[in-house]
Amino acid sequence: MTRAELLAFLRMHRLAVVSTVHDGAPQAAVVGIAVSDELEIIFDTLTTSRKYQNLRADPRAALVIGWDAEQTAQLEGVADFPTGAELAACKQVYFAAWPDGPDREAWPNIGYVRVRPGWVRFSDFGAVPALVEESELE
């Protein structure tokens, strides 16, 4: 799978499961996502949520995107909390995917998370033979 094909696949999906760690135990949550041209996964959440607090303490994240049609992408990377011009750029990507996003900016404690993947596995178990490709991302 090329980088362009991966980007197209990721952008076909609006939801992801993000996994974080708290006190050595895994925690998972469904989030609405947007994907930048650089394959960054961006989502908003309350800063009081478990996932946000977990990522502040340990920025490692794993995501699963797409589970229909027996196709899925698993990504692992590092989360950060952009500010300034980087936050503005992330919001632009996020609001393009989620037009109601600006309405949530008025919520108390809203925060934005960007995950920069370093590893991805794409699986298509509907293909014959099944296709499973792993790669390190730059």
Side-chain angles (χ1 to χ4, degrees):
M1 168 171 275
T2 67
R3 189 176 184 94
E5 290 168 333
L6 176 60
L7 179 61
F9 176 82
L10 295 175
R11 286 187 170 160
M12 287 180 1
H13 299 87
R14 294 175 41 92
L15 300 176
V17 174
V18 60
S19 297
T20 60
V21 177
H22 177 72
D23 289 339
Q27 294 180 347
V30 175
V31 293
I33 62 163
V35 183
S36 75
D37 291 342
E38 293 77 32
L39 299 176
E40 299 163 323
I41 310 301
I42 301 159
F43 60 92
D44 69 0
T45 188
L46 296 175
T47 60
T48 54
S49 68
R50 293 187 328 168
K51 66 186 147 302
Y52 191 92
Q53 295 300 315
N54 292 349
L55 291 169
R56 279 284 189 195
D58 182 342
R60 295 174 299 162
L63 297 106
V64 176
I65 299 170
W67 37 83
D68 47 339
E70 297 186 61
Q71 295 178 330
T72 188
Q74 297 167 250
L75 299 98
E76 294 177 357
V78 177
D80 68 355
F81 308 90
T83 60
E86 288 185 343
L87 176 58
C90 287
K91 285 182 179 181
Q92 184 176 9
V93 170
Y94 186 76
F95 295 161
W98 294 93
D100 63 336
D103 295 339
R104 288 191 293 281
E105 284 190 289
W107 292 5
N109 302 317
I110 195 73
Y112 297 87
V113 178
R114 171 178 57 191
V115 178
R116 292 177 166 158
W119 174 87
V120 64
R121 174 188 291 141
F122 175 79
S123 301
D124 182 351
F125 293 106
V128 178
L131 171 69
V132 177
E133 294 179 355
E134 290 185 20
S135 63
E136 300 288 328
L137 299 174
E138 301 167 3

